[in-house]
Amino acid sequence: MRTLTFCIFLLALPTLSQAQTNEADSLKRLLQTEKQDTSRVLLLHELYKVYRYSKPDSGLLVAQQALLLAKKAEYPYGETWSLIHLGSIFTLNGDYPRALQLHFQALEKAESLGNSTILGSVFLNLGLDYSFMGDYRKGVEYNNRALALYISGNQQNAILKARINLGDSYEKLNKLDSALFYTNSGYALAVKLEEATSVGIALNNLGNIYSKMGKDVLAMSNYRQSLVYYKRLDDQEGLCESYLGMAKVFQKSGSSDSSLYYAKLSMASAKKVGFISRIMDASNFLTRNYADLDIMDSAFVYQSTAIVARDSLFNYEKQRAIQSLSFEETMRQQAIIEAQEAAQTQLKFNALFGSLGTLFLVAFLLYRNNRQRNKANGLLRQQKAEIERTLAELKSTQKQLIQSEKMASLGELTAGIAHEIQNPLNFVNNFSEVSRELLEEMNAALQSGDEQEVRDIVQDVRENLDKINYHGKRADAIVKGMLQNSRTGVGEKEPTDLNRLADECVRLAYHGLRAKDRAFNASITTDFDPYLSSAEGEVAVNSQEISRVLLNLLNNAFYAVNEKRNALDSCPESRNYEPAVTVSTRYVAPAGEGERGKVLITVRDNGQGVPHDMVDKIFQPFFTTKPTGQGTGLGLSISYDIIHAHGGTVGVESQEGKGSAFTVELLA
């Protein structure tokens, strides 16, 4: 579908190059007849947009004319846009200090104008500056600030540019999932809005992403589509990047001739318009390629070109200038913050002095009027009573929440037991019914005098009774195991097979969730240390309490993978996702004489994971990441207390988007 949409879009491209030429001529004629300076500034801005990628030198001259005219007309809006355009040209030409200087000037003016559109454009260009300089995290920061402004103003054309830029920065940071998400969303919006320039950039960026993912066929397809677009628009900067991307793909496939051919095309486009950063990229690639082919004279030539380009971009003076500009902007922002804080402090002082004056007046009135003082004291006593009542209600609520957590655990345990015991009971019922039918058949055989038939039926009934006895014992064993697991105690510890206990809890938790949601499925893997099932490996614990801990951890794991599955239902990635929970036990021998061994029980899932800023809070009472009404936030807190009371520890390792692992450590 995307290919069809793009093909339809390409039908309009053959006229774009001619349209650009016609547009430039039309704008020049309007400039000759327009008398009002502000209107001339706006016309120059439109002419700059025509030239910026195909003829950057002409774009620079047009932007300079616009800046001079805007200053003369005292037109701050036009002056700010002129600074933005000038900075963009210097970014493409590799003069990053000058670009930063101009864009920081534009930022200061945009802040004074209070215009979100122009402020977002400044952020967008600063993001590009830092990305070209290799500081992609700073690029992400400024692009996100731009995107937030555009979304709040529902500016669709600007939103797509911010998304494409974010995708490019994430690709350079090798965060390919984020890169693909932002680039695809920007591409879709660009096609919808028929924003030709952004469509070409998005296609090129998709080529870069798929190349890094190892999907070379997709990468080459996107590069070739972007070439069609860039050639129609004479976008030399875009051609540089697409040609070099294709050269890298050919190099991976071992096609040296094609790789060199497209790398040289990239170099030619870069030299044509003087894009130094692109010259450096192409030269470095050609240097490595010729060195691999052992053609050292060519490698040396391109290495020299790369060194000159790199020195031009990142020499010591430019680095100092960039650092100085960044420092000055940081200090300017700090000065703004300090001024705001000073204003807030002054307001606080004013409020304080006003409050003090009021207090003196109240004190004087209270001194003059004893009844008023008594009334105030009564009010204080009333407030104290209300506070005490509120505290009592909070304690009551806390007890209710703890009871709710216990009842929830009991419900899950009951559902698991019901599912476990239902299977043998079904066998008992089925074989009983079959035996009754056999006895009726035996009665008929006796009446007919068929002794052989009677003996056969007796044998079948005997086998059925054996099966009923077997499955009855199975049900009895399950009930005894559940009763032993669930019996109330006073905290006594006894030697326990932790492998068996963990296995029971896995089945209870899984079937408990299946009882509530029949659509739920997950892959369950167990990896138990055989030593812990031996008599020597049993650990003295309160099995009821440890079961409660394991059920809490397992319920959380199953909930996490189920939530991730539900979240991915509408995404293509869901086809590759399989919910999985792993439970393992391991015995760690003592390190030295006189020390005790340790037992590690780990519950691992591949769910959404816990956000980094929440990991330190998850064992706090009432803290939960679940939606309101789906969790009390007491499960992990109670589990933590139980393990601590056993002299052990419980910890968590989590990666957001990849899953979590909870590890319980007990002394053997």
Side-chain angles (χ1 to χ4, degrees):
M1 180 63 185
R2 199 193 85 176
T3 303
L4 176 60
T5 303
F6 181 76
C7 289
I8 294 171
F9 185 78
L10 281 180
L11 294 176
L13 285 182
T15 61
L16 286 178
S17 181
Q18 182 62 38
Q20 279 192 306
T21 303
N22 293 339
E23 185 179 5
D25 293 339
S26 177
L27 289 169
K28 289 177 182 178
R29 286 195 295 271
L30 288 173
L31 279 168
Q32 291 174 354
T33 58
E34 180 60 52
K35 302 300 181 184
Q36 190 173 355
D37 286 344
T38 54
S39 298
R40 287 173 59 80
V41 170
L42 296 176
L43 288 170
L44 286 168
H45 289 168
E46 294 302 317
L47 187 58
Y48 159 81
K49 293 177 184 178
V50 176
Y51 286 141
R52 55 184 166 181
Y53 293 124
S54 59
K55 298 179 180 179
D57 291 340
S58 299
L60 179 64
L61 291 174
V62 169
Q64 288 172 336
Q65 292 174 19
L67 179 60
L68 292 173
L69 192 57
K71 286 182 176 180
K72 175 185 173 184
E74 297 181 355
Y75 182 31
Y77 180 86
E79 187 177 348
T80 308
W81 275 116
S82 300
L83 290 168
I84 294 172
H85 297 333
L86 279 171
S88 299
I89 293 294
F90 283 113
T91 300
L92 291 173
N93 289 339
D95 193 346
Y96 303 135
R98 185 62 177 146
L100 275 180
Q101 182 185 39
L102 290 164
H103 285 149
F104 282 143
Q105 289 178 16
L107 176 59
E108 191 170 356
K109 289 186 175 294
E111 288 171 344
S112 65
L113 288 172
N115 185 303
S116 61
T117 300
I118 198 167
L119 186 59
S121 182
V122 176
F123 287 149
L124 208 62
N125 279 275
L126 282 168
L128 287 171
D129 291 342
Y130 281 107
S131 294
F132 269 97
M133 290 187 289
D135 191 347
Y136 302 111
R137 296 188 184 279
K138 200 83 171 176
V140 168
E141 176 189 335
Y142 276 110
N143 279 311
N144 271 321
R145 291 171 72 177
L147 182 59
L149 284 174
Y150 293 147
I151 291 174
S152 65
N154 193 28
Q155 301 173 56
Q156 296 295 305
N157 285 318
I159 288 172
L160 71 90
K161 294 176 183 176
R163 286 178 177 173
I164 291 172
N165 286 357
L166 276 169
D168 184 60
S169 294
Y170 278 123
E171 179 260 314
K172 298 302 188 298
L173 289 168
N174 290 319
K175 296 183 177 181
L176 301 183
D177 289 341
S178 297
L180 196 59
F181 169 78
Y182 281 108
T183 307
N184 271 327
S185 62
Y187 170 82
L189 191 55
V191 172
K192 177 182 176 182
L193 299 175
E194 298 183 357
E195 184 66 41
T197 302
S198 298
V199 170
I201 296 172
L203 286 168
N204 175 78
N205 291 354
L206 284 170
N208 293 338
I209 295 167
Y210 285 127
S211 178
K212 281 192 174 181
M213 287 181 166
K215 300 178 180 180
D216 293 340
V217 174
L218 274 176
M220 188 63 76
S221 174
N222 280 280
Y223 283 138
R224 291 192 185 281
Q225 290 183 65
S226 69
L227 282 182
V228 174
Y229 161 80
Y230 286 142
K231 288 177 181 178
R232 295 291 194 280
L233 294 179
D234 192 25
D235 186 343
Q236 297 299 320
E237 199 272 339
L239 286 171
C240 290
E241 189 170 1
S242 289
Y243 282 143
L244 191 58
M246 293 173 69
K248 291 176 181 178
V249 173
F250 277 120
Q251 184 190 43
K252 284 196 289 183
S253 66
S255 302
S256 300
D257 292 342
S258 297
S259 178
L260 289 171
Y261 173 75
Y262 281 103
K264 289 178 180 178
L265 284 179
S266 177
M267 172 70 84
S269 293
K271 287 184 174 180
K272 181 178 179 181
V273 287
F275 292 154
I276 299 175
S277 63
R278 299 302 184 193
I279 292 173
M280 182 182 70
D281 293 339
S283 298
N284 282 328
F285 181 83
L286 285 164
T287 299
R288 291 190 299 270
N289 232 349
Y290 277 116
D292 291 340
L293 296 171
D294 202 25
I295 306 176
M296 303 311 297
D297 53 344
S298 296
F300 178 76
V301 170
Y302 284 110
Q303 184 182 43
S304 300
T305 303
I307 291 172
V308 171
R310 184 176 64 249
D311 289 345
S312 175
L313 289 172
F314 303 112
N315 60 43
Y316 178 71
E317 289 76 12
K318 285 192 175 182
Q319 288 295 318
R320 287 191 58 185
I322 291 169
Q323 292 172 0
S324 176
L325 287 167
S326 297
F327 176 74
E328 288 174 3
E329 175 60 17
T330 301
M331 295 302 295
R332 189 181 75 83
Q333 294 293 340
Q334 184 63 33
I336 293 173
I337 294 171
E338 289 175 355
Q340 292 172 345
E341 291 177 348
Q344 291 176 354
T345 302
Q346 187 61 46
L347 286 173
K348 290 178 181 178
F349 273 119
N350 293 340
L352 177 61
F353 285 129
S355 299
L356 287 174
T358 303
L359 287 174
F360 280 125
L361 179 59
V362 172
F364 177 73
L365 292 174
L366 289 174
Y367 177 76
R368 294 285 302 271
N369 193 332
N370 188 53
R371 280 176 52 187
Q372 188 68 21
R373 184 172 63 247
N374 290 337
K375 182 179 179 181
N377 289 336
L379 180 61
L380 288 173
R381 286 193 295 272
Q382 181 182 353
Q383 290 176 341
K384 180 181 178 182
E386 289 178 356
I387 291 172
E388 290 175 349
R389 184 165 59 254
T390 302
L391 287 173
E393 290 174 355
L394 284 173
K395 290 180 181 178
S396 175
T397 302
Q398 183 179 14
K399 290 179 181 178
Q400 292 174 6
L401 284 172
I402 293 173
Q403 182 63 24
S404 173
E405 177 71 19
K406 290 180 178 178
M407 293 304 293
S409 297
L410 179 60
E412 292 167 355
L413 182 63
T414 303
I417 292 172
H419 190 279
E420 284 292 305
I421 205 170
Q422 186 63 47
N423 194 30
L425 286 179
N426 285 339
F427 279 108
V428 169
N429 291 334
N430 291 338
F431 285 120
S432 297
E433 186 176 345
V434 170
S435 296
R436 183 177 61 79
E437 294 174 356
L438 287 172
L439 289 175
E440 291 176 358
E441 292 178 8
M442 185 176 71
N443 187 38
L446 285 172
Q447 291 177 2
S448 64
D450 189 346
E451 294 182 4
Q452 182 60 40
E453 179 69 14
V454 171
R455 282 193 291 272
D456 291 342
I457 292 174
V458 168
Q459 180 61 31
D460 290 342
V461 171
R462 183 180 291 112
E463 290 177 359
N464 284 354
L465 290 175
D466 288 341
K467 292 176 181 177
I468 290 171
N469 183 53
Y470 169 74
H471 289 290
K473 287 181 179 179
R474 266 190 70 201
D476 180 62
I478 291 171
V479 171
K480 286 180 179 179
M482 297 305 114
L483 289 174
Q484 183 179 9
N485 182 57
S486 306
R487 72 179 187 274
T488 56
V490 290
E492 57 276 316
K493 299 179 181 179
E494 58 184 13
T496 303
D497 181 346
L498 290 180
N499 287 344
R500 178 189 59 77
L501 190 65
D503 187 56
E504 289 177 357
C505 291
V506 169
R507 289 186 285 108
L508 287 176
Y510 181 69
H511 292 310
L513 185 55
R514 286 272 296 168
K516 292 186 290 185
D517 182 2
R518 300 300 300 174
F520 171 73
N521 275 300
S523 169
I524 302 174
T525 304
T526 56
D527 181 14
F528 296 147
D529 191 331
Y531 174 74
L532 295 176
S533 293
S534 65
E536 297 83 1
E538 291 188 342
V539 181
V541 296
N542 183 316
S543 59
Q544 178 191 4
E545 296 295 336
I546 298 301
S547 293
R548 189 174 181 185
V549 171
L550 293 177
L551 283 172
N552 273 326
L553 297 181
L554 287 161
N555 286 336
N556 286 346
F558 287 130
Y559 175 85
V561 298
N562 196 32
E563 285 297 297
K564 184 173 182 179
R565 181 67 186 182
N566 292 336
L568 289 176
D569 275 347
S570 60
C571 301
E573 292 87 343
S574 63
R575 294 191 296 270
N576 301 323
Y577 175 68
E578 179 183 356
V581 174
T582 302
V583 183
S584 63
T585 61
R586 185 164 63 91
Y587 173 73
V588 181
E593 188 176 351
E595 296 185 9
R596 295 173 62 181
K598 297 177 182 178
V599 176
L600 304 180
I601 307 174
T602 301
V603 178
R604 186 183 305 276
D605 65 75
N606 64 344
Q608 295 283 24
V610 181
H612 179 72
D613 58 345
M614 294 184 182
V615 171
D616 295 335
K617 304 176 183 178
I618 59 174
F619 294 111
Q620 296 177 5
F622 307 110
F623 179 84
T624 179
T625 58
K626 296 179 181 178
T628 303
Q630 295 190 24
T632 62
L634 291 172
L636 288 177
S637 174
I638 292 172
S639 299
Y640 182 88
D641 292 338
I642 290 171
I643 298 302
H644 184 73
H646 276 72
T649 60
V650 56
V652 60
E653 294 180 359
S654 184
Q655 285 185 282
E656 190 170 358
K658 295 186 177 180
S660 304
F662 286 82
T663 300
V664 174
E665 180 181 303
L666 297 169
L667 292 175

